[in-house]
Amino acid sequence: MDPSSVKPLAVVSSELPEKEMKRLSDRFDVLPLPPDPDLPEPVACHPDMILAEAAGALFLSRRYAETYPGLIHALAEKTGLPVILSDAPRSTVYPHDVGCNAFVWEREEGDALLVGRLDSLFPEILRRAEEAGIRAVHVRQGYAACSCIPLPGMLLTSDWGIMKALRPYSEEVFWVPSYGILLPGYNQGFLGGASGVLNGNNGSEVFFFGDPSSMEYAETLSRMLDASGADIRLLAEDHPLTDRGGIRFIHPNLSVRS
């Protein structure tokens, strides 16, 4: 299989507006996620709440997989990655809704870090990370993936506690408040939930759901992203920045798919 012919997979909320879905599908193989019955309704389709990726594997709750077996088959087929299911308790009540809300920060310098509320994550994620030699860093913020834009050379977060927890590992961790990000059903959205990071051989791209200039700290965010060297892509310019659960970009495992 020619690697150049394989599109990365973009896992998104099934509630993503048609315009933003179309812009993503022009470049990526897009997989919309239907609602998780164990999550609060406003975020029930959000990828950063439903799906985690760590150490070459994907993680979901078993009940979600049994609810949508065809979707899980498609996810495994499109990525070539093992899908690991968890029976950990899950409900709409925090922190039982954040079992997958973590991310692996693949840094330019230093080992990769798994960042999340460790006492609430699916144990399968922790076990896989430990076996792969990925250091797990505990943060009090259960919505860790929602709160961060992790770039190889820099991490931006809207959570002060996450910044403090990660500063011992890197000086390139910066706080950018998320005031002005919309999240229908809640008072405010999150920085990571309003974006998605694609890392590739030619650098990083950050995709935004809406216009970041609607944020109170838009100038700070713009300055930090300029310093990171990442390319900015707006999936919509005609509405304020909106938390839609982020984008889980997954590079297919060609050795398995070929």
Side-chain angles (χ1 to χ4, degrees), residues 7 45 64 87 98 122 138 140 145 152 189 193 242 252:
K7 296 180 178 180
C45 300
Y64 187 78
D87 293 309
V98 299
F122 289 167
H138 176 74
R140 294 179 62 186
T242 304

Side-chain angles (χ1 to χ4, degrees), residues 6-7 9 29-31 73-80 252-253 257:
V6 179
K7 296 180 178 180
L9 182 67
D29 188 2
V30 178
L31 182 66
H73 176 77
L75 188 61
E77 180 71 18
K78 289 174 180 292
T79 65
N253 186 340
R257 291 185 45 163

